[in-house]
Amino acid sequence: MSLQTRAARTPARTPSPGGRPGGARRGLLGPGVLAAALPDALRKLDPRTLWRNPVMLIVEVGAAWSTVLASARPSWFGWLAVGWLWLTVVFANLAEAVAEGRGRAQAETLRRAKRDMVARRLTGWRPGGPDPREETVPAPELRQGDHVVVEAGETVPADGDVVEGIASVDESAITGESAPVIRESGGDRSAVTGGTRVLSDRIVVEVTQRPGESFIDRMISLVEGSNRQRTPNEIALNILLAALTIIFVLAVATLQPMAIYSMGADPGVPGGLALDSGGITGIVLVSLLVCLIPTTIGALLSAIGIAGMDRLVQRNVLAMSGRAVEAAGDVDTLLLDKTGTITLGDRQAAAFLPLGGVAERELADAAQLASLADETPEGRSVVVLAKRLHGLRERTPGELDGAEWVPFTARTRMSGVDLPGRRLRKGAASAVAAWARERGGDVPPGLGRAVEEISSSGGTPLVVGESGPAGTRVLGVIHLKDVVKQGMAERFAEMRAMGIRTVMITGDNPLTAKAIADEAGVDDFLAEATPEDKLALIKREQEGGRLVAMTGDGTNDAPALAQADVGVAMNTGTSAAKEAGNMVDLDSDPTKLIEIVGIGKQLLITRGALTTFSIANDIAKYFAIIPALFLTLFPGLDTLNVMRLHSPQSAILSAVVFNALVIVALIPLALRGVRYRPGGASALLSRNLAVYGLGGIVAPFIGIKLIDLFIQFLPGMS
């Protein structure tokens, strides 16, 4: 297996610590994490920053107003309430700061990879032209279209395509994968990334990036969260939360006039901010408002979005926008390439089918001898299968005295070996049959039928022939098949349970494609696919109202990647593919598309679950604060005091404290995400309502009561 193939098939790993994407992390909310995030949380108190979160902006305005009121009429209750109102805003900012802070070390490591980099720029370079003039320049001065030369031991200064030469490249600084990959001019393995290191040979790279838009620049923006735009779903939810906040602001604003009217008394307090006999003060009104508006989800909404993108980074996937992550959660159709995604990509020997009375062991021995010098994956698999099924010792070409090896050519379509007194050939059925007939040999009548059966099942037949003193004959057929990766059928079954339709794309003929599709368990397939066919398929799916995701790595995949709602380009692919897609898989593992869909769904489920919890837990706060506010005016409301809280002051403060602490308690869940289990939409909704809806109602009753038991002993709580 080549270095390139081995690297492409290595599953996403968690790289070592030190800031690499996906590196080892401390606890989600450990003391070190909180200490590092606290300065950012305090800086976010600036209203110019907080205006993007209208719910928390209202809380901050209310906290500031309460501070003025507490200064005018100091009391233990007033200052405790003000303190917890400010903590509510800080905790909300802390959630976002923790989420953003998880990318700080990653960004710094990437900056170190970019800093002080120089380039050997070639002036006047053209293919086959005279030697160009070389000059050393700082890497930031490179522009699109420049050509640079990079030799063994040097770092690639900018993103680009190899236009001359071939080299082994270490991409561990970007992907975390230690195995080097091969990059060469032409084809789909020409793209190189700035910051990677050339290990061997010499290449000329044409710069494709614009200043400030390199791969590393985009990764830095992503992990810092500085380039994260709000998604349509997130914007819609923010609008809903703002609308609920406005409704509660209007409702709370009417409480004091209503209390005044009910008492039939004049407020007696400048500005009408308090009605002592009714128990209503400006601080109490703010506390009521903060507890009733959806502060929990308002505080965690941004952190949920950042954490969703961070989970992709942990799996070495670079998302160009939050919209792509969210779209992944709503995908209806997955387009998957067959080779290397659903199958291993290399045809493997699966069986020996002897013909004309030949023993299977004799066929296996001849096939093994004919394959000893064949270094292709197919040839090695023949040697291994003969050894496994018949115990034939794996010999080496050097052990066969006088052997002359016959390499495969497109003209003969055969390979083999000439031994003293014996010749063996292995190759296409028609070629080996013609070779046998030329030497006066017979072709068994069952050869055509065996070849047809293997072909119709999606396999590839290789025929083995022998010529010796006893004559020439066809010994039998080797069945080669593209092996479906283990567990793929189960994964596609999970996709089906999620309501996602899977389509396999392949260049194989329809018979072969159908056989692989049936074995893998995909819902449909597109055989003999051209770039135009892929693009047309995506458009048809989208016209039917479905969201489509696909993977690709070649220039011919670029139109389809650009058209797809979620286009995942392989890092080993061309620059055109990576520019067209809205995600780049740094590990170049095509099966990761399935994981990306799961991460997208987890993001949406986490947002929905915490929204459900946030709205549900307001119910308990009604039972805590409303009786406390109006008990003097309407003694009958005491029946709603089901928690039997100590006093109106302790009831209000307990609700405010719980409202602040629940934000901190839910930060780890927002960052980690709600566990996603494949299932239908109705099942997911039922589970969310049962866990987070019911939990959101019950938890505050318990939490507020426990806090009340503690704070009732504080001054001013009588």
Side-chain angles (χ1 to χ4, degrees):
M1 186 180 292
S2 68
L3 291 173
Q4 173 61 49
T5 305
R6 184 167 63 249
R9 289 188 189 156
T10 303
R13 305 179 306 132
T14 301
S16 59
R20 273 273 310 113
R25 301 180 187 273
R26 295 168 289 182
L28 286 178
L29 213 60
V33 174
L34 290 176
L38 187 57
D40 282 338
L42 295 176
R43 279 192 290 269
K44 289 177 183 292
L45 290 173
D46 186 341
R48 292 171 297 180
T49 301
L50 207 60
W51 73 267
R52 294 174 301 171
N53 190 338
V55 176
M56 300 318 301
L57 180 61
I58 290 292
V59 177
E60 183 176 50
V61 171
W65 184 36
S66 298
T67 303
V68 174
L69 296 178
S71 300
R73 299 180 62 181
S75 67
W76 275 98
F77 168 77
W79 283 116
L80 284 172
V82 166
W84 280 101
L85 288 173
W86 280 112
L87 284 176
T88 302
V89 187
V90 172
F91 290 161
N93 292 340
L94 191 66
E96 186 173 7
V98 168
E100 292 176 350
R102 299 172 82 193
R104 302 293 186 196
Q106 299 174 17
E108 182 54 34
T109 299
L110 292 170
R111 284 196 178 93
R112 283 198 300 268
K114 180 183 175 183
R115 197 176 296 146
D116 300 328
M117 200 180 297
V118 296
R120 296 165 57 189
R121 183 166 62 188
L122 302 177
T123 302
W125 180 92
R126 64 178 185 272
D131 290 341
R133 182 171 62 86
E134 180 182 316
E135 60 178 339
T136 301
V137 298
E141 293 184 8
L142 294 174
R143 296 294 181 267
Q144 246 181 331
D146 285 349
H147 293 87
V148 296
V149 61
V150 191
E151 296 184 343
E154 296 178 348
T155 300
V156 178
D159 297 353
D161 291 326
V162 178
V163 293
E164 181 181 278
I166 179 172
S168 175
V169 179
D170 175 12
E171 296 187 336
S172 59
I174 302 297
T175 67
E177 173 55 58
S178 58
V181 295
I182 301 300
R183 291 289 180 264
E184 58 184 322
S185 59
D188 292 342
R189 296 290 184 264
S190 60
V192 289
T193 304
T196 58
R197 191 163 57 93
V198 173
L199 300 179
S200 68
D201 302 294
R202 174 186 183 276
I203 54 175
V204 175
V205 177
E206 180 177 347
V207 177
T208 58
Q209 73 179 52
R210 289 179 288 272
E213 296 182 9
S214 71
F215 203 68
I216 290 181
D217 289 322
R218 284 184 287 175
M219 287 190 70
I220 291 172
S221 295
L222 171 68
V223 298
E224 284 190 324
S226 59
N227 205 29
R228 192 186 80 89
Q229 296 181 342
R230 296 181 184 274
T231 64
N233 185 289
E234 195 173 345
I235 293 172
L237 186 53
N238 260 316
I239 293 173
L240 173 63
L241 299 182
L244 289 175
T245 300
I246 292 172
I247 291 171
F248 279 115
V249 167
L250 295 175
V252 170
T254 63
L255 292 181
Q256 176 136 321
M258 185 178 70
I260 296 171
Y261 176 78
S262 299
M263 289 295 295
D266 187 271
V269 178
L273 294 177
L275 182 63
D276 295 334
S277 58
I280 300 178
T281 68
I283 294 176
V284 171
L285 290 176
V286 171
S287 300
L288 174 63
L289 176 63
V290 169
C291 289
L292 297 187
I293 64 177
T295 49
T296 305
I297 185 60
L300 299 174
L301 187 58
S302 181
I304 293 170
I306 294 172
M309 297 185 74
D310 185 67
R311 280 192 289 275
L312 279 180
V313 175
Q314 291 179 45
R315 289 162 177 80
N316 281 356
V317 177
L318 175 62
M320 303 306 178
S321 70
R323 182 189 296 267
V325 185
E326 193 172 280
D330 285 328
V331 160
D332 302 294
T333 304
L334 254 64
L335 305 186
L336 299 157
D337 188 46
K338 185 205 77 170
T339 305
T341 304
I342 296 174
T343 66
L344 293 176
D346 297 323
R347 295 172 299 172
Q348 305 286 308
F352 296 112
L353 305 176
L355 299 170
V358 175
E360 184 176 330
R361 182 182 177 85
E362 183 181 359
L363 170 61
D365 180 70
Q368 188 185 64
L369 287 172
S371 302
L372 290 180
D374 186 352
E375 290 299 327
T376 65
E378 294 88 347
R380 300 307 303 162
S381 72
V382 172
V383 175
V384 171
L385 183 66
K387 179 181 179 181
R388 179 167 60 85
L389 294 182
H390 299 284
L392 297 174
R393 185 173 65 88
E394 183 177 344
R395 293 153 287 191
T396 63
E399 294 180 42
L400 303 177
D401 294 333
E404 293 184 11
W405 302 99
V406 180
F408 176 87
T409 66
R411 184 180 61 83
T412 64
R413 295 189 297 154
M414 294 186 300
S415 62
V417 59
D418 291 343
L419 301 169
R422 186 185 186 194
R423 294 182 177 183
L424 297 169
R425 294 293 184 271
K426 176 193 72 176
S430 58
V432 175
W435 176 82
R437 291 192 185 99
E438 287 174 3
R439 285 158 180 74
D442 294 327
V443 177
L447 177 62
R449 184 172 62 255
V451 168
E452 184 178 348
E453 288 178 355
I454 292 174
S455 298
S456 63
S457 68
T460 302
L462 287 182
V463 177
V464 180
E466 178 186 45
S467 180
T472 302
R473 56 180 177 160
V474 173
L475 301 178
V477 185
I478 305 170
H479 183 178
L480 296 180
K481 61 182 297 187
D482 199 353
V483 180
V484 174
K485 291 181 179 179
Q486 187 175 5
M488 291 305 295
E490 289 78 7
R491 299 190 78 171
F492 290 136
E494 288 182 6
M495 295 290 107
R496 203 169 294 111
M498 293 157 54
I500 297 175
R501 177 170 171 263
T502 53
V503 181
M504 182 185 77
I505 299 176
T506 177
D508 290 338
N509 62 70
L511 282 177
T512 301
K514 185 178 187 310
I516 296 295
D518 290 342
E519 184 178 353
V522 296
D523 298 311
D524 201 354
F525 65 89
L526 178 65
E528 298 176 342
T530 65
E532 293 77 16
D533 293 334
K534 297 177 187 177
L535 188 60
L537 175 60
I538 293 173
K539 288 182 177 179
R540 284 199 304 272
E541 293 289 324
Q542 290 173 332
E543 287 169 1
R546 291 180 285 272
L547 294 183
V548 181
M550 75 161 289
T551 61
D553 60 358
T555 301
N556 61 349
D557 291 324
L561 286 171
Q563 180 67 34
D565 300 284
V566 180
V568 184
M570 301 296 101
N571 190 42
T572 55
T574 62
S575 297
K578 290 194 281 189
E579 287 294 330
N582 48 25
M583 292 188 187
V584 177
D585 177 14
L586 303 180
D587 292 320
S588 300
D589 176 11
T591 62
K592 201 179 290 183
L593 179 58
I594 300 175
E595 292 183 50
I596 291 171
V597 170
I599 292 171
K601 287 191 175 295
Q602 185 183 35
L603 169 66
L604 296 179
I605 289 171
T606 301
R607 189 181 292 160
L610 292 183
T611 301
T612 302
F613 183 91
S614 178
I615 294 175
N617 71 20
D618 286 342
I619 295 176
K621 299 170 193 173
Y622 300 153
F623 283 91
I625 296 184
I626 298 300
L629 281 176
F630 293 99
L631 186 59
T632 305
L633 292 172
F634 307 108
L637 287 177
D638 186 57
T639 56
L640 296 180
N641 186 16
V642 294
M643 289 179 274
R644 313 315 299 173
L645 301 178
H646 176 68
S647 67
Q649 291 87 348
S650 70
I652 294 167
L653 190 59
S654 297
V656 172
V657 172
F658 176 84
N659 192 66
L661 292 180
V662 76
I663 294 173
V664 179
L666 290 176
I667 291 177
L669 182 61
L671 299 182
R672 185 176 58 248
V674 174
R675 184 180 177 185
Y676 171 64
R677 298 183 182 90
S682 59
L684 291 174
L685 178 61
S686 299
R687 186 161 58 242
N688 270 354
L689 289 176
V691 176
Y692 297 97
L694 184 60
I697 294 174
V698 174
F701 278 96
I702 299 173
I704 291 173
K705 179 60 180 178
L706 291 175
I707 294 171
D708 178 74
L709 292 175
F710 174 76
I711 68 173
Q712 63 179 293
F713 300 106
L714 296 178
M717 294 300 118
S718 58

